Amino acid sequence: MTENFLKLVNIEKSFGTEKILAGINLEISKGEFITILGPSGCGKTTLLRIISGIEYPDSGNVLLENNEITNIPAENRNVNTVFQSYALFPHMNVEENVGYGLKLKKINKDIIKKQVDEFLELVQLKGYNKRKVTELSGGQKQRVALARALIMNPKILLLDEPLGALDLKLRRDMQLELKRIQKKMGITTIYVTHDQEEAINMSDRIAVMHKGNFEQIGTPDEIYNTPKTEFVAKFVDSANIFRGKLIKTGKDAEALISNHKINICETKLPVESDILICCRTEEILIGDENIPNQGIPVVVKEKFFGGGNLRIEFVLENGEIATARRHGIDYNLKIGERTIIGWNPKNTVIVEKSDE
């Protein structure tokens, strides 16, 4: 892949006195699928609008194939966006919606029809040409919107929470479909969402956004297994964060957590450092599950089932809450029962504190 196909350099944007983007830097390769992941209000949609040309930054540069496009209008960028609302024309049928952009360019009618047929087949809507868009399901409307964007052969495809209005099963089906189409076309794609599952399932890389900047950019594996900050750890699948004090550094590092000594990942931080230890819910060991250290005493607070997993909440002696996740609908622990929890040190990571 060609490096720096799209490059964002120190992008800043404010609305009134509120700073929305605080110096964004990002390099995207040609053909890459990158997701901008973050909560509502973090600035991700504003950034997408700046890439598309709908908004202009207060400062910074947008470079496409090493060409400055920062102040070029949206219609001259060859960048297409698919929105959550689909933005289809209700008075047009499917083929009229898909071919609308080509018609504006005064492309020959026979060529338009041929390309519309090709792209409807690509999004698995072959034969839907004359169907009214008002007769389509949510997933079908999404496919029409995608075909309409792709038929223009954009250099970059922008997707702004396009699956948010779909039910869970259809959303998961469309995740696979979008990734299939993106791979087949090799189109550079920037996807915006607050859904961690979407980001992990679909992306080559994820840029986790918080308060107008990126906390971490990396592969799904890096974001999930080695988060750099407290925010990334908590936002991506709600990892446990334990506050402790380092009492032994090096390969066999130890920390004091809730007044109990426990082994953690290797670190070169100095002894007496205040640290935040991240451990994923599925990596928490309970009771006699071969905890490779003395463990931390806890009391079972709650058990609840969701998404095919049982989540068990514990209260530490210092009042902090920890959560373990197990497959199935039950676990042989009663609410109020005392036990211990722990982990394999290699399954922990020290993270940086994030701004509230």
Side-chain angles (χ1 to χ4, degrees), residues 182-216:
Q182 188 267 340
K183 277 190 172 181
K184 184 171 183 177
M185 293 196 67
I187 189 169
T188 306
T189 301
I190 303 172
Y191 192 96
V192 161
T193 187
H194 62 271
D195 188 308
Q196 303 94 327
E197 182 182 287
E198 280 184 4
I200 289 171
N201 286 341
M202 300 174 70
S203 311
D204 297 319
R205 284 191 303 154
I206 300 170
V208 183
M209 201 169 191
H210 180 48
K211 292 189 174 181
N213 220 324
F214 293 135
E215 293 253 331
Q216 185 174 352

Coordinates of all heavy atoms in Angstrom, one line a residue, residues 182-216:
Q182 N -15.5 -3.3 0.4 CA -14.3 -2.4 0.5 C -13.1 -3.2 0.0 O -12.2 -2.7 -0.7 CB -14.2 -2.0 2.0 CG -13.1 -0.9 2.2 CD -11.7 -1.5 2.5 OE1 -11.7 -2.7 3.0 NE2 -10.7 -0.8 2.3
K183 N -13.0 -4.5 0.4 CA -11.8 -5.3 0.0 C -11.8 -5.5 -1.5 O -10.8 -5.4 -2.1 CB -11.8 -6.6 0.8 CG -11.2 -6.5 2.2 CD -11.0 -7.9 2.7 CE -10.2 -7.8 4.0 NZ -10.0 -9.2 4.6
K184 N -13.0 -5.8 -2.0 CA -13.1 -6.1 -3.4 C -12.7 -4.9 -4.3 O -12.0 -5.0 -5.3 CB -14.5 -6.5 -3.8 CG -14.7 -7.0 -5.2 CD -16.1 -7.6 -5.5 CE -16.2 -8.1 -6.9 NZ -17.5 -8.7 -7.2
M185 N -13.2 -3.7 -3.9 CA -12.9 -2.5 -4.6 C -11.5 -1.9 -4.3 O -11.0 -1.1 -5.0 CB -14.0 -1.4 -4.4 CG -15.3 -1.9 -4.9 SD -16.4 -0.5 -5.1 CE -15.7 0.5 -6.3
G186 N -11.0 -2.2 -3.1 CA -9.7 -1.6 -2.7 C -9.8 -0.2 -2.4 O -8.7 0.6 -2.6
I187 N -10.9 0.3 -2.0 CA -11.1 1.8 -1.8 C -10.7 2.2 -0.4 O -11.0 1.5 0.5 CB -12.6 2.2 -2.1 CG1 -12.8 3.7 -2.2 CG2 -13.5 1.5 -1.1 CD1 -14.1 4.1 -2.7
T188 N -10.0 3.3 -0.4 CA -9.6 3.9 0.9 C -10.9 4.3 1.7 O -11.7 5.1 1.2 CB -8.7 5.1 0.7 OG1 -7.6 4.7 -0.1 CG2 -8.2 5.6 2.1
T189 N -11.1 3.8 2.9 CA -12.3 4.0 3.6 C -12.1 4.5 5.0 O -11.3 4.0 5.7 CB -13.1 2.7 3.7 OG1 -13.4 2.2 2.3 CG2 -14.5 2.9 4.4
I190 N -12.8 5.6 5.4 CA -12.8 6.1 6.7 C -14.2 6.0 7.3 O -15.1 6.5 6.8 CB -12.3 7.6 6.8 CG1 -11.0 7.7 6.0 CG2 -12.2 8.1 8.2 CD1 -10.5 9.2 5.9
Y191 N -14.2 5.2 8.4 CA -15.5 4.9 9.0 C -15.6 5.5 10.4 O -14.7 5.4 11.2 CB -15.5 3.3 9.2 CG -16.9 2.7 9.5 CD1 -17.7 2.2 8.5 CD2 -17.3 2.6 10.8 CE1 -18.9 1.6 8.8 CE2 -18.5 2.0 11.2 CZ -19.3 1.5 10.2 OH -20.5 1.0 10.5
V192 N -16.7 6.2 10.7 CA -16.9 6.8 12.0 C -18.0 6.1 12.8 O -19.1 5.8 12.2 CB -17.3 8.3 11.8 CG1 -18.0 8.9 13.0 CG2 -16.1 9.2 11.4
T193 N -17.7 5.8 14.0 CA -18.7 5.1 14.8 C -18.3 5.3 16.3 O -17.2 5.6 16.7 CB -18.7 3.6 14.5 OG1 -19.8 2.9 15.2 CG2 -17.4 2.9 14.9
H194 N -19.3 5.0 17.2 CA -19.1 4.9 18.6 C -19.2 3.5 19.1 O -19.0 3.2 20.3 CB -20.1 5.8 19.4 CG -21.5 5.3 19.2 ND1 -22.3 5.7 18.2 CD2 -22.3 4.4 19.9 CE1 -23.5 5.1 18.3 NE2 -23.5 4.3 19.3
D195 N -19.4 2.6 18.1 CA -19.6 1.1 18.4 C -18.3 0.4 18.3 O -17.7 0.2 17.3 CB -20.6 0.5 17.4 CG -21.0 -0.9 17.7 OD1 -20.1 -1.7 17.9 OD2 -22.2 -1.1 17.8
Q196 N -17.8 -0.1 19.5 CA -16.5 -0.7 19.6 C -16.4 -2.0 18.8 O -15.4 -2.3 18.1 CB -16.1 -1.0 21.0 CG -16.1 0.2 21.9 CD -17.4 0.4 22.6 OE1 -18.5 0.1 22.1 NE2 -17.3 1.0 23.8
E197 N -17.6 -2.8 18.8 CA -17.6 -4.0 18.1 C -17.4 -3.8 16.6 O -16.7 -4.5 15.9 CB -18.9 -4.7 18.3 CG -19.0 -6.1 17.7 CD -20.4 -6.7 17.9 OE1 -20.6 -7.2 19.0 OE2 -21.2 -6.8 17.0
E198 N -18.1 -2.8 16.0 CA -18.0 -2.5 14.6 C -16.5 -2.2 14.3 O -16.0 -2.6 13.3 CB -18.8 -1.3 14.2 CG -20.3 -1.6 14.0 CD -21.1 -0.4 13.6 OE1 -20.5 0.7 13.4 OE2 -22.3 -0.5 13.4
A199 N -15.9 -1.3 15.1 CA -14.5 -0.9 14.8 C -13.6 -2.1 14.8 O -12.7 -2.2 14.0 CB -14.1 0.1 15.9
I200 N -13.7 -3.0 15.8 CA -12.8 -4.1 15.9 C -13.0 -5.1 14.8 O -12.1 -5.6 14.2 CB -13.0 -4.8 17.3 CG1 -12.4 -3.9 18.4 CG2 -12.3 -6.2 17.3 CD1 -12.7 -4.4 19.8
N201 N -14.3 -5.3 14.4 CA -14.6 -6.3 13.3 C -14.2 -5.9 11.9 O -13.9 -6.7 11.1 CB -16.1 -6.6 13.3 CG -16.5 -7.5 14.5 OD1 -15.7 -8.1 15.1 ND2 -17.8 -7.5 14.8
M202 N -14.2 -4.6 11.7 CA -14.1 -4.1 10.3 C -12.8 -3.5 9.9 O -12.4 -3.4 8.8 CB -15.2 -3.1 10.0 CG -16.6 -3.6 10.2 SD -17.9 -2.4 10.1 CE -17.8 -2.0 8.3
S203 N -12.0 -3.0 10.9 CA -10.9 -2.1 10.6 C -9.6 -2.7 10.4 O -9.2 -3.7 11.0 CB -10.8 -1.1 11.8 OG -12.1 -0.5 12.1
D204 N -8.8 -2.1 9.5 CA -7.3 -2.4 9.5 C -6.6 -1.7 10.7 O -5.8 -2.2 11.3 CB -6.7 -1.9 8.2 CG -7.3 -2.6 7.0 OD1 -7.5 -3.8 7.1 OD2 -7.6 -1.9 6.0
R205 N -7.1 -0.4 10.9 CA -6.6 0.3 12.1 C -7.8 1.1 12.7 O -8.7 1.4 12.0 CB -5.5 1.3 11.7 CG -4.1 0.7 11.4 CD -3.0 1.8 11.3 NE -3.4 2.7 10.3 CZ -2.9 4.0 10.3 NH1 -2.2 4.5 11.3 NH2 -3.2 4.8 9.2
I206 N -7.6 1.4 14.0 CA -8.6 2.2 14.7 C -7.9 3.4 15.3 O -6.8 3.3 15.9 CB -9.2 1.3 15.8 CG1 -9.9 0.1 15.3 CG2 -10.2 2.2 16.6 CD1 -10.4 -0.9 16.3
A207 N -8.5 4.6 15.2 CA -8.1 5.8 15.8 C -9.1 6.1 16.9 O -10.2 6.5 16.6 CB -7.9 6.9 14.8
V208 N -8.7 5.9 18.2 CA -9.6 6.2 19.3 C -9.6 7.7 19.7 O -8.5 8.2 20.0 CB -9.3 5.3 20.5 CG1 -10.3 5.5 21.6 CG2 -9.3 3.8 20.1
M209 N -10.7 8.3 19.6 CA -10.8 9.8 19.7 C -11.4 10.1 21.1 O -12.4 9.5 21.5 CB -11.6 10.4 18.6 CG -11.3 11.8 18.4 SD -12.1 12.3 16.8 CE -11.4 13.9 16.6
H210 N -10.9 11.2 21.7 CA -11.4 11.6 23.0 C -11.1 13.1 23.1 O -9.9 13.5 23.0 CB -10.7 10.8 24.1 CG -11.1 11.2 25.5 ND1 -12.4 11.4 25.9 CD2 -10.4 11.5 26.6 CE1 -12.5 11.7 27.2 NE2 -11.3 11.8 27.6
K211 N -12.1 13.9 23.3 CA -12.0 15.3 23.6 C -11.1 16.0 22.5 O -10.2 16.8 22.7 CB -11.4 15.6 24.9 CG -12.3 15.2 26.1 CD -11.8 15.7 27.4 CE -12.9 15.5 28.5 NZ -12.4 15.9 29.8
G212 N -11.4 15.7 21.2 CA -10.8 16.4 20.1 C -9.5 16.0 19.7 O -8.8 16.6 18.9
N213 N -9.0 14.8 20.2 CA -7.7 14.3 19.8 C -7.7 12.8 19.8 O -8.6 12.2 20.4 CB -6.6 14.9 20.6 CG -5.4 15.3 19.8 OD1 -5.0 14.6 18.8 ND2 -4.7 16.4 20.1
F214 N -6.6 12.2 19.3 CA -6.5 10.8 19.3 C -5.8 10.3 20.5 O -4.6 10.8 20.8 CB -5.8 10.3 18.0 CG -6.6 10.5 16.8 CD1 -6.0 11.0 15.6 CD2 -8.0 10.2 16.7 CE1 -6.7 11.2 14.5 CE2 -8.7 10.4 15.6 CZ -8.1 10.9 14.4
E215 N -6.3 9.4 21.3 CA -5.7 8.8 22.4 C -4.7 7.7 22.0 O -3.7 7.5 22.6 CB -6.7 8.3 23.4 CG -7.5 9.3 24.1 CD -7.2 9.6 25.6 OE1 -6.7 8.7 26.2 OE2 -7.4 10.7 26.0
Q216 N -5.1 7.0 20.9 CA -4.3 5.9 20.4 C -4.7 5.5 19.0 O -5.9 5.5 18.7 CB -4.4 4.6 21.3 CG -3.5 3.5 21.0 CD -3.6 2.3 22.0 OE1 -4.2 2.5 23.0 NE2 -2.9 1.2 21.7

